[in-house]
Structures are given as C-alpha cells and as structure tokens.
Amino acid sequence: MVISSSSLLCFPVGALLDRDTRKSTTVSRTIGAPMVPAARTPLEAANLYIKLSNKHDFNALKEVVASPCDVYGGSFHGQALDRYLRKKPDMEIKVTKPPRVLERDPSTVEFECIRSWHEGSRLVEYECSEYLTFSSGCPRVARMSMKRNPVPVTTGSEETGSMC
C-alpha cells in the first residue's frame, strides 16, 4: 500500500508525561512521523501550534500543519512548507489575546499576538490578529490568515522587517 501525505493516518498511541506541567498527555502519530501530542479540537490544535512554534520544533510542527496548507493566500506543501516554517527560526509568538473558536465557524480559531524575530542584530516585532482554520478529524492547520494586516511594533527604529 502506498501512503501519500494527503492520506496519512493519525491515531492515538499512548500517553506522554509533559516535563513542564507533570501532566499526562495523549499522543498521536502519523505513520512515519515523530510523535506529537494529539489535539482533539481546533482550540487544542491552535494551542499546540503556538507551543511547537515557540519551541522551534519544526518536525513536530509539520505534523500539526496540513500539506498543502493555505498560508496567507499561498499554497505550501512538502519542502516549500518546510522552508516556510524554518524561514524565521527564532520567531516567537507572544499571545496577547488567547485563542478562541469562532461561533460562525467552529473549525476556525482566532488569536492575537506579537510575532518577533531577529534580522541580523535587530529585533523585529509585529502585532497580529490571526485565524487558523483546521481540517476535520485529527485537526491540522489547513489555512493561516490575518484578520487585519500586521502592525509593526515601534522599537525606536523606523525600519521594519517583512512579516512573510
């Protein structure tokens, strides 16, 4: 049997003790991929996406993002998705308004944050209001979009980097 990336299976494989919280967490696994905590709802998956992004665990993060994925209007899959996720390897997501499921679309989660990274020795920061739309079943990010354009955070310099 040939398994393509679009037909990978996600299934629970046991429990994992979270070193930070000392709580047991169910884990899932996609065939041939590293184990990542299982997300049963879009809200859990959004929190996992943010946590893995901040840990810079790109291999595990790829398990939370569908392939292909609509990333701010562009379709990314395979190596292009991997390059996108690694583009700003020190990016941090500081949540300023916690993720919440949209009433009008229960597969979409909205949150506000400040995304920051370094360009050379300069810190670049943007205030963002983001949407993550998830696939059904074992939820994966199928679409990343912005509620509004990112706003540069003023840090004493007029110069800003590029968000994407």
Side-chain angles (χ1 to χ4, degrees):
M1 173 167 92
V2 175
I3 299 175
S4 71
S5 62
S6 61
S7 65
L8 292 175
L9 304 172
C10 182
F11 56 94
V13 294
L16 179 70
L17 184 63
D18 187 307
R19 191 178 337 155
D20 299 328
T21 64
R22 302 308 239 185
K23 291 181 182 176
S24 178
T25 304
T26 303
V27 293
S28 70
R29 184 169 180 147
T30 301
I31 294 175
M35 288 196 326
V36 296
R40 293 175 293 278
T41 67
L43 186 58
E44 287 179 7
N47 285 310
L48 181 59
Y49 170 83
I50 293 166
K51 181 179 180 177
L52 293 173
S53 292
N54 285 336
K55 284 187 172 186
H56 308 115
D57 188 343
F58 301 113
N59 290 327
L61 191 57
K62 285 190 296 186
E63 290 304 305
V64 178
V65 178
S67 182
C69 181
D70 177 343
V71 181
Y72 309 116
S75 181
F76 287 82
H77 54 87
Q79 290 181 344
L81 180 60
D82 188 54
R83 280 192 304 276
Y84 172 79
L85 294 173
R86 295 173 189 270
K87 187 175 182 180
K88 295 178 172 87
D90 68 332
M91 181 177 293
E92 295 291 331
I93 301 173
K94 179 182 175 190
V95 175
T96 57
K97 183 177 178 184
R100 69 174 185 87
V101 175
L102 296 182
E103 271 186 43
R104 68 182 182 275
D105 181 4
S107 66
T108 299
V109 174
E110 173 186 25
F111 67 98
E112 293 184 11
C113 66
I114 295 176
R115 286 186 175 256
S116 62
W117 65 92
H118 286 88
E119 288 186 357
S121 61
R122 188 171 49 90
L123 178 66
V124 178
E125 296 180 299
Y126 278 88
E127 290 180 5
C128 303
S129 183
E130 300 191 35
Y131 292 119
L132 298 175
T133 302
F134 293 88
S135 59
S136 60
C138 182
R140 287 179 166 42
V141 179
R143 181 172 180 240
M144 298 179 200
S145 57
M146 298 280 179
K147 182 176 181 178
R148 58 178 163 68
N149 286 335
V151 177
V153 175
T154 308
T155 58
S157 170
E158 296 297 317
E159 208 176 348
T160 60
S162 170
M163 178 62 200
C164 295

